[in-house]
Amino acid sequence: MNTAVSVLKDKKLFIFDMDGTIYLGNSPFDFAIKFIENLHNSDKNILFFTNNASHTTDFYMSKLSRLGFAPRQGEIMTSGDVTIEFLKRHRAGKSVYLVGTDELVSAFRNSGINMLDGSEESADIVVTSFDTSLTYEKLDNACRFIRGGAEYLSTHPDKNCPTENGFIPDSGAIAALVTASTDVVPTYFGKPYRETIEMISEATGFSPSDMCIFGDRLMTDIALGKRFGVTSVLVLTGETKPSDIEKADEYERPDIVLDSLADADKIIFG
């Protein structure tokens, strides 16, 4: 615990996963609200980052405010943001078919991406995401375009999304279905991929060594930290159980394990 104190107190940017880390569905963890309030009051830099791209940053700003977290402008980022930035920088002008929520489709379109509606004969790129409005027609269109040669991307690899009532299928599960039909594996964005840490560094001005990330998933939150030199803190309030840590490979084992963010609050603020 003394090691955790010295490590965490020196960090300049505190990155928080959302689902399973600071809340479950629409139920916030009171201790997370208190910890983040203490960080804000101590002028610490905070970034809320979720792989859940079914909603936009405006949605999460409203949700986090409603739940009591008092987020500030520029403190929220999603895997959808990372994917959009990649398309704008590296695939400018390419036609994109997106399997995603109407909210995410609007975000892509408002960013100037050349969006398709599925009636076309071909597409340059197919992007799949966490789509709670998923239909067979969308899947059929995506698979048809990919078989026709479209590049396949996915906003994030999470297979399940935690809710108050258990897990529901997430982006990775939808991608698995498309892969099963096309034999094409997507290029993933979000945590734990390089594009995410590069975008965070660029947006905040901090290097990975100045950051720590709190999350509940070994394969995304913790792996992002371990791959790119960010101190990774696992909390046991979401998906991961202690027995999962023992079975994880080297790049998915956290630097610090805490029962919840209540422990992080005690470590830093007493």
Side-chain angles (χ1 to χ4, degrees):
M1 190 65 78
N2 288 335
T3 300
V5 171
S6 61
V7 169
L8 293 180
K9 280 194 171 182
D10 290 338
K11 294 302 174 181
K12 298 176 181 177
L13 178 65
F14 292 75
I15 305 169
F16 292 91
D17 172 55
M18 297 192 208
D19 298 311
T21 300
I22 64 172
Y23 60 68
L24 280 177
N26 288 303
S27 300
F29 298 133
D30 290 341
F31 48 75
I33 294 174
K34 178 173 177 281
F35 178 41
I36 290 166
E37 180 181 11
N38 285 336
L39 290 172
H40 271 144
N41 290 339
S42 300
D43 294 324
K44 297 290 189 179
N45 296 279
I46 291 172
L47 181 70
F48 299 96
F49 190 104
T50 179
N51 266 3
N52 187 340
S54 65
H55 298 295
T56 62
T57 51
D58 286 343
F59 170 90
Y60 285 113
M61 176 64 76
S62 176
K63 177 173 182 174
L64 291 177
S65 297
R66 186 179 72 252
L67 294 181
F69 289 100
R72 300 171 183 175
Q73 288 297 325
E75 287 188 340
I76 300 173
M77 192 179 294
T78 76
S79 67
D81 298 328
V82 177
T83 307
I84 287 171
E85 194 64 23
F86 173 84
L87 291 170
K88 288 167 61 178
R89 292 188 181 189
H90 302 289
R91 301 291 188 271
K94 297 290 187 181
S95 61
V96 175
Y97 182 70
L98 172 62
V99 177
T101 59
D102 289 345
E103 197 174 336
L104 187 61
V105 170
S106 293
F108 271 56
R109 184 175 291 114
N110 292 340
S111 297
I113 294 170
N114 179 16
M115 300 295 289
L116 304 179
D117 63 15
S119 63
E120 300 82 2
E121 291 187 4
S122 63
D124 294 321
I125 299 168
V126 168
V127 179
T128 62
S129 187
F130 178 25
D131 187 2
T132 52
S133 58
L134 184 66
T135 64
Y136 190 85
E137 181 181 10
K138 289 183 181 182
L139 290 170
D140 183 32
N141 289 336
C143 292
R144 173 170 56 85
F145 288 144
I146 292 169
R147 291 191 198 97
E151 180 181 11
Y152 183 23
L153 311 177
S154 174
T155 57
H156 60 291
D158 303 48
K159 293 180 180 178
N160 292 299
C161 178
T163 73
E164 304 101 313
N165 301 314
F167 296 108
I168 58 175
D170 204 325
S171 174
I174 293 171
L177 193 159
V178 174
T179 295
S181 179
T182 63
D183 289 327
V184 178
V185 176
T187 297
Y188 287 104
F189 293 91
K191 298 172 289 188
Y193 299 101
R194 181 177 299 277
E195 289 81 5
T196 292
I197 204 65
E198 289 176 348
M199 187 169 175
I200 291 174
S201 290
E202 183 174 325
T204 64
F206 293 111
S207 66
S209 62
D210 291 326
M211 308 174 188
C212 61
I213 182 168
F214 296 89
D216 70 308
R217 295 184 180 188
L218 299 176
M219 293 178 64
T220 55
D221 308 314
I222 303 309
L224 180 73
K226 298 296 286 187
R227 288 184 183 187
F228 303 111
V230 176
T231 297
S232 61
V233 185
L234 178 73
V235 292
L236 301 175
T237 47
E239 182 173 299
T240 302
K241 299 182 287 292
S243 58
D244 297 327
I245 304 171
E246 301 170 8
K247 296 179 285 187
D249 66 35
E250 179 183 353
Y251 289 101
E252 295 176 358
R253 291 189 178 181
D255 297 309
I256 299 168
V257 181
L258 303 175
D259 286 336
S260 73
L261 290 179
D263 292 330
D265 193 36
K266 292 175 185 175
I267 287 171
I268 298 176
F269 298 106

